[in-house]
Amino acid sequence: MEHKARLVLSDLWRSCWNGYVEKGPGDPDPARSAGALIDAEATVDGKARRICDWLAGLTDGMIVRTHRRLFDPEFGSIGDLS
């Protein structure tokens, strides 16, 4: 279970890092509050800290659902689109 948890958190970390820190030109600005906070940080260290804070604030269930939404093409609902 420890290995699986590490993989899930690593996937979420990389996804946030790629989407908010290393985003390329033309990538959309984040609309969510966590994304806006990450974007607002001026330094790379500050951005990394915001990602850590966001992940630390998620419950186990929220982490699993978020990971599934991002990485499992079979998971999701019409409610996830709004």
Side-chain angles (χ1 to χ4, degrees):
M1 285 305 279
E2 227 176 283
H3 176 71
K4 190 174 188 178
R6 187 173 306 129
L7 287 174
V8 167
L9 286 172
S10 293
D11 285 347
L12 290 176
W13 169 267
R14 275 192 304 280
S15 180
C16 287
W17 188 262
N18 292 337
Y20 295 113
V21 179
E22 294 184 354
K23 66 181 184 174
D27 286 347
D29 288 332
R32 305 255 187 245
S33 60
L37 289 172
I38 295 166
D39 243 9
E41 288 292 333
T43 66
V44 171
D45 288 342
K47 290 176 186 295
R49 176 58 192 237
R50 289 291 184 175
I51 293 171
C52 286
D53 289 346
W54 175 70
L55 288 172
L58 295 177
T59 65
D60 292 348
M62 291 168 66
I63 287 173
V64 170
R65 281 190 303 278
T66 301
H67 186 268
R68 287 187 69 197
R69 275 191 203 110
L70 292 173
F71 298 101
D72 183 354
E74 307 244 340
F75 182 80
S77 70
I78 194 71
D80 291 338
L81 297 176
S82 57

